[in-house]
Amino acid sequence: MKRIIGLTGGIATGKSTVANYLATAYNLPIFDADIYARDAVSINSPILQAIAQRYGEQILLADKSLNRLKLGEIIFNNQTERSWVENLIHPYVRDRAIVETQVIASLLVFVVPLLFEAQMTDLVTEIWVVSCSEQQQLARLMQRNNLTLEQAQARIKSQMPITEKAARADIVLDNNSTKDALLKQVDFALSINNTNERNHNDKITPN
């Protein structure tokens, strides 16, 4: 049976660290929903045209690509607008994932930050959630994206709470400590063959 790991978590909790490790240490194929989402709004794409029609030329940069900073200012402060944009992009991401993951016969990783929010859990056979404290998440996000506290909080609040994601996961990877500690949990999680029907009452939290 094909094993599809759905790797998710909150923004800046460490998903990329885990995905990169699975790719380099285990040579696993990685499919990234963020790449599909960027492709969805490429220059002259129908989705980008719809976004520009809704928000005006201010949403485009000089080369006619998406002004992501400007769009972020809109959608991370307005649930209605965020839902409108997501309803354009999520179906595109789902369709791309279905097509591209079909070429892998056995084990692959699908990195989806909004796995639950976008209702894509049916595309995977198991769910791994990378978790850390909100304080660490805020600090990492502010440093990584050069955001103010208010901007970082708005982005975190736009997603499902990490505690709720962890409660729905098969594997919870605790990223409150060191990188080595996180990767040891990944080693353990990968060794578990839980491709049978998921039972969330038997959650596994690597230590």
Side-chain angles (χ1 to χ4, degrees), residues 39 57 62 78 80 94 105 125 133-135 139 145-146 193 200:
D39 290 344
E57 291 297 314
N78 188 311
T80 299
R94 167 181 277 274
T125 62
S133 69
E134 184 175 350
Q135 291 76 16
N145 291 27
N146 194 27
N193 189 341
H200 293 288

Side-chain angles (χ1 to χ4, degrees), residues 1-169:
M1 182 183 297
K2 180 183 289 190
R3 185 179 182 187
I4 305 177
I5 298 170
L7 179 61
T8 190
I11 187 172
T13 59
K15 298 181 298 298
S16 294
T17 299
V18 173
N20 290 338
Y21 180 66
L22 289 170
T24 57
Y26 291 96
N27 199 32
L28 294 183
I30 308 295
F31 297 84
D32 192 336
D34 279 347
I35 293 176
Y36 301 155
R38 286 194 291 271
D39 290 344
V41 293
S42 60
I43 295 176
N44 294 325
S45 69
I47 291 177
L48 182 57
Q49 291 175 5
I51 290 173
Q53 184 175 11
R54 186 174 182 90
Y55 301 122
E57 291 297 314
Q58 64 171 348
I59 209 68
L60 301 176
L61 297 173
D63 64 355
K64 300 301 180 181
S65 64
L66 177 64
N67 186 333
R68 297 179 183 279
L69 182 61
K70 185 65 177 180
L71 182 63
E73 292 174 356
I74 296 172
I75 66 175
F76 289 119
N77 292 287
N78 188 311
Q79 174 62 49
T80 299
E81 296 306 314
R82 184 166 68 250
S83 296
W84 183 84
V85 172
E86 289 177 347
N87 286 338
L88 286 179
I89 295 176
H90 288 170
Y92 176 93
V93 172
R94 167 181 277 274
D95 291 344
R96 280 281 300 274
I98 290 172
V99 171
E100 297 194 9
T101 59
Q102 285 180 346
V103 302
I104 306 300
S106 56
L107 175 59
L108 63 95
V109 181
F110 185 27
V111 186
V112 197
L114 302 180
L115 181 69
F116 297 109
E117 295 91 333
Q119 299 180 4
M120 294 187 191
T121 56
D122 61 303
L123 301 183
V124 303
T125 62
E126 59 195 83
I127 298 172
W128 294 15
V129 168
V130 187
S131 175
C132 68
S133 69
E134 184 175 350
Q135 291 76 16
Q136 286 190 322
Q137 189 179 12
L138 276 169
R140 291 169 182 166
L141 182 56
M142 290 169 64
Q143 181 179 30
R144 187 189 74 184
N145 291 27
N146 194 27
L147 300 176
T148 66
L149 176 62
E150 292 74 18
Q151 289 172 326
Q153 288 175 329
R155 281 157 174 75
I156 291 173
K157 289 179 180 178
S158 74
Q159 298 182 348
M160 180 185 294
I162 193 64
T163 52
E164 186 174 344
K165 293 187 178 186
R168 297 173 61 180

